[in-house]
Amino acid sequence: MLSARSLFQEILDNDESFQLFCSVAASGEAQGGWENGRIAALVPDTMRDLAPKITRHGADEDKHGRLFRALLRKRDLKEVEVPLELDYTLLLERAGIGLAHSKLRADETLTEEDIVVYLSHSRVTEQRAADQMDMLVTYFGDHPEAGKPIKMICQDEENHLAYCHEELLRLAALGHGRTIQRTLRECVRVEIKVYRDVSLAVMDRMGRVLGWPAHKSALLSTGIRLMYLYERLGGWRKAVTLTMPERRGALDGPATAGEAA
């Protein structure tokens, strides 16, 4: 029977597919760590109170990258280059989601609107990350190899999502509400398309690695397209709604050290 659990079990059990899965994840986390680090360094003086939280966010992303690389080392596997069509974070940046890398490399102080846009984009992408990690914990939280790092990353993603909600609501109260809502809606329209395209590319690559029959690949492809249709017709609202989280000050304090997987 085809299920999310059986699908990911196949990927985890095969060295080549596991190598690709961890490499894709590590690459995305590394990019997120770099982006947050640069944003923290360029925060405008009027928003310097956010710098430690953005730094913590980046440190968490760097930690996640190390955890995925540690999983590769435990199997004596090396990180492989991620094909462009599988690079979710890079494709989002190229589509205009997140602050442009050219701006982050320029060493010029960001504007308040830049920070509002950054947090709005993070709200959307962290929802995706939190949902994915929650699913992995549900199915593989007790996995002897991947369970512990997956749980650690899931907790961090929940913190990141809570931080985005709290800070965006605070900024909305300071007069940035219209910019936040406009940016959230613009971002989610692009994100669901990029996620669909990357998901199709990942499943195509995994299918070739694992030797899936044509009917299985077709079924998975149909499922991905149906999920995109659901998100386009209304599922997107989950990623743009703002509610004050129960977990307040989720990114206060330093990042926790990630233990070797």
Side-chain angles (χ1 to χ4, degrees):
M1 178 179 177
L2 184 60
S3 65
R5 180 190 293 272
S6 65
L7 179 68
F8 279 102
Q9 190 66 61
E10 278 191 79
I11 292 171
L12 290 176
D13 288 345
N14 179 278
D15 278 351
E16 188 177 351
S17 58
F18 182 78
Q19 182 181 39
L20 181 61
F21 171 79
C22 289
S23 295
V24 168
S27 174
E29 299 290 358
Q31 180 170 319
W34 177 83
E35 289 173 353
N36 279 280
R38 292 302 300 150
I39 292 167
L42 302 174
V43 168
D45 290 340
T46 54
M47 291 183 162
R48 290 308 301 173
D49 58 311
L50 277 173
K53 298 178 183 181
I54 301 172
T55 298
R56 161 73 184 275
H57 191 175
D60 283 345
E61 303 288 2
D62 285 337
K63 177 182 70 179
H64 300 168
R66 293 195 299 272
L67 288 170
F68 282 114
R69 293 186 185 97
L71 285 172
L72 287 172
R73 287 196 299 274
K74 288 193 73 172
R75 287 203 197 178
D76 292 324
L77 299 172
K78 293 183 178 180
E79 190 174 356
V80 296
E81 185 175 351
V82 176
L84 175 61
E85 65 270 20
L86 274 56
D87 198 326
Y88 169 78
T89 50
L90 181 56
L91 290 172
L92 283 177
E93 194 263 338
R94 290 191 175 187
I97 301 304
L99 299 180
H101 286 186
S102 58
K103 176 175 287 192
L104 297 182
R105 292 189 184 100
D107 285 329
E108 295 182 6
T109 302
L110 299 171
T111 66
E112 288 191 3
E113 184 171 349
D114 286 333
I115 301 302
V116 170
V117 167
Y118 147 73
L119 282 170
S120 299
H121 289 170
S122 294
R123 160 70 185 97
V124 173
T125 56
E126 291 298 338
Q127 184 69 61
R128 182 73 72 186
D131 288 347
Q132 287 182 322
M133 295 311 303
D134 185 60
M135 177 188 67
L136 287 175
V137 167
T138 298
Y139 295 135
F140 297 105
D142 58 353
H143 190 276
E145 186 177 25
K148 186 176 180 179
I150 283 173
K151 287 180 179 177
M152 188 181 299
I153 294 170
C154 185
Q155 183 176 25
D156 286 345
E157 299 298 1
E158 290 173 357
N159 284 338
H160 299 167
L161 189 56
Y163 145 77
C164 289
H165 276 275
E166 183 176 0
E167 295 303 331
L168 285 171
L169 285 169
R170 182 178 66 83
L171 290 171
L174 294 175
H176 297 284
R178 287 188 178 181
T179 300
I180 290 169
Q181 283 302 316
R182 184 188 72 250
T183 306
L184 286 171
R185 289 171 179 266
E186 291 172 350
C187 177
V188 75
R189 284 196 295 268
V190 175
E191 193 278 339
I192 62 174
K193 291 180 181 178
V194 170
Y195 183 74
R196 175 201 61 190
D197 293 344
V198 169
S199 296
L200 288 170
V202 168
M203 287 301 103
D204 177 68
R205 184 64 66 99
M206 292 298 181
R208 283 185 273 138
V209 169
L210 296 169
W212 289 340
H215 72 271
K216 182 173 181 176
S217 294
L219 184 60
L220 289 169
S221 176
T222 299
I224 291 168
R225 289 187 168 89
L226 287 174
M227 177 57 70
Y228 167 70
L229 182 61
Y230 161 76
E231 292 186 335
R232 193 182 70 177
L233 292 177
W236 58 270
R237 290 185 176 86
K238 178 182 179 181
V240 302
T241 302
L242 295 176
T243 55
M244 188 58 71
E246 294 182 9
R247 189 179 307 185
R248 306 287 289 274
L251 293 192
D252 291 345
T256 57
E259 299 178 9

